Amino acid sequence: MTSGIKEMYDEQGYVIVPGLVTPEHFTSLRKACERVITKTRSGVWPHRRTVGRQFPPYGNDNPDSWGVQHVMHPDLGEPIFAEWYTSEGLLAAAMELLQCKEDELQMELFNLLINPLHHDFALRWHRDDVKEDATADEEVQALSAWKYGIFDSALYEDSCLYIVPGSHRVPRTAEQRTLSITQDPPKNPLDMPGAVQVTLRPGETVFYNSNLLHCATYDSKKPRCTLHACIGDVRGGSTRARNVLQHGLQWMTEDNFSSQLSERGRKMVLHLVAMQKGAEEQALGYSLNNRLSSLIL
């Protein structure tokens, strides 16, 4: 199932893999997502991505939401998320892409991307841990240090993501810089040179390098329910700390979380705890500038 994905991932910066959401997981995940979305939209679950805020911290400026944070949190009571996050197929794909062993895998983020109810919304062109005003030399340095990625697994058809294949390996061109240095999302993402729209069918997963230039659009009239997560490995060290820990993961160090995990999951979270401890003396801050978006479509 995962044969050959490494070559495309390295060359293009992304790869689509079918079948990682198995039929036995698919229905359970969709039902669990429906429950946590209801809790989020009703205000019962406060950890969410807020319309108008593109990146952490998300604040509480708008009652409309485009994402649910921390779906593995024990207070949500949905163990299916941790079960799937540590499933054989998903971890096999992660190990193939990271070229690591299972005991080197590090548990990190697991969130949920959803459609807002009252506003169309969009994210600007960005790389996940490189400032939009970075110089070409700063980009080269950042691209060489950060080699990991994230993944989206769609439970409904999803065409929200736009990427520039191959951009994870090179600094932006002058035209790409002009279109990505702004804080505002694009009116038409395909105006970006080299951009393509990624479409996932239900059950498909796209892995993409966090250094890819990418953006996203959120249609309030089209249901979205896409699992959004990342898995790292211990070799990443402190290079991953800011981008991961900016989401507020202290709860993952607590016993009531680790006690609900499988043995495999407990080993993975221990690496995250070690990374958190190693970063305690650092002022990590946030990866990207995050003023209130001036464009709600």
Side-chain angles (χ1 to χ4, degrees), residues 9 19-21 52 54 58 64 66 78 93 103 119 130 136 147 153 157 163 184 195 223 227 251 260 267 292 294:
Y9 183 78
L20 299 184
V21 183
Q54 300 183 50
Y58 294 106
D64 213 355
W66 60 273
E78 300 290 355
D103 61 6
H119 308 84
V130 184
K147 303 180 185 300
S153 296
E157 183 174 295
I163 61 173
D184 293 328
L227 307 170
W251 59 273
Q260 72 172 7
K267 290 179 180 178
L292 190 66
S294 62

Side-chain angles (χ1 to χ4, degrees), residues 24-25 72 78-88 261-262:
E24 58 266 31
H25 281 136
M72 291 191 291
E78 300 290 355
I80 184 62
F81 291 119
E83 178 184 321
W84 179 73
Y85 185 95
T86 56
S87 60
E88 288 282 350
L261 298 174
S262 64

Side-chain angles (χ1 to χ4, degrees), residues 69-127:
Q69 296 287 90
H70 312 316
V71 296
M72 291 191 291
H73 198 295
D75 289 351
L76 273 176
E78 300 290 355
I80 184 62
F81 291 119
E83 178 184 321
W84 179 73
Y85 185 95
T86 56
S87 60
E88 288 282 350
L90 181 60
L91 296 189
M95 287 186 285
E96 174 69 17
L97 295 176
L98 294 169
Q99 293 292 285
C100 71
K101 300 176 182 177
E102 184 175 310
D103 61 6
E104 295 174 311
L105 290 173
Q106 177 169 286
M107 184 174 288
E108 296 184 347
L109 305 173
F110 193 178
N111 304 308
L112 177 64
L113 304 177
I114 65 176
N115 58 292
L117 289 180
H118 307 297
H119 308 84
D120 292 347
F121 183 59
L123 305 181
R124 62 178 171 87
W125 284 104
H126 64 284
R127 309 183 197 265

Side-chain angles (χ1 to χ4, degrees), residues 157-174:
E157 183 174 295
D158 189 325
S159 299
C160 297
L161 178 66
Y162 294 80
I163 61 173
V164 178
S167 60
H168 61 302
R169 296 183 287 118
V170 293
R172 293 166 292 179
T173 66

Side-chain angles (χ1 to χ4, degrees), residues 206-230:
V206 59
F207 292 86
Y208 56 103
N209 189 302
S210 300
N211 278 330
L212 271 185
L213 280 172
H214 61 285
C215 70
T217 59
Y218 288 73
D219 185 342
S220 60
K221 295 174 286 297
K222 184 174 181 179
R224 189 185 195 197
C225 186
T226 295
L227 307 170
H228 180 66
C230 61

Side-chain angles (χ1 to χ4, degrees), residues 56 69-70 85 106-111 128-129 146 148-150 210 230-232 237-250 252 272 275-276 284-285 287:
Q69 296 287 90
H70 312 316
Y85 185 95
Q106 177 169 286
M107 184 174 288
E108 296 184 347
L109 305 173
F110 193 178
N111 304 308
D128 280 355
D129 200 43
W146 181 266
Y148 303 94
I150 51 182
S210 300
C230 61
I231 296 172
S238 61
T239 60
R240 299 184 62 73
R242 178 174 66 177
N243 196 246
V244 173
L245 300 181
Q246 66 177 339
H247 289 266
L249 303 184
Q250 187 62 34
M252 294 179 75
L272 175 69
M275 184 176 73
Q276 287 186 317
L284 295 176
S287 291

Side-chain angles (χ1 to χ4, degrees), residues 285-297:
Y286 295 96
S287 291
L288 298 173
N289 296 322
N290 183 34
R291 67 171 172 79
L292 190 66
S293 176
S294 62
L295 178 62
I296 299 179
L297 304 175

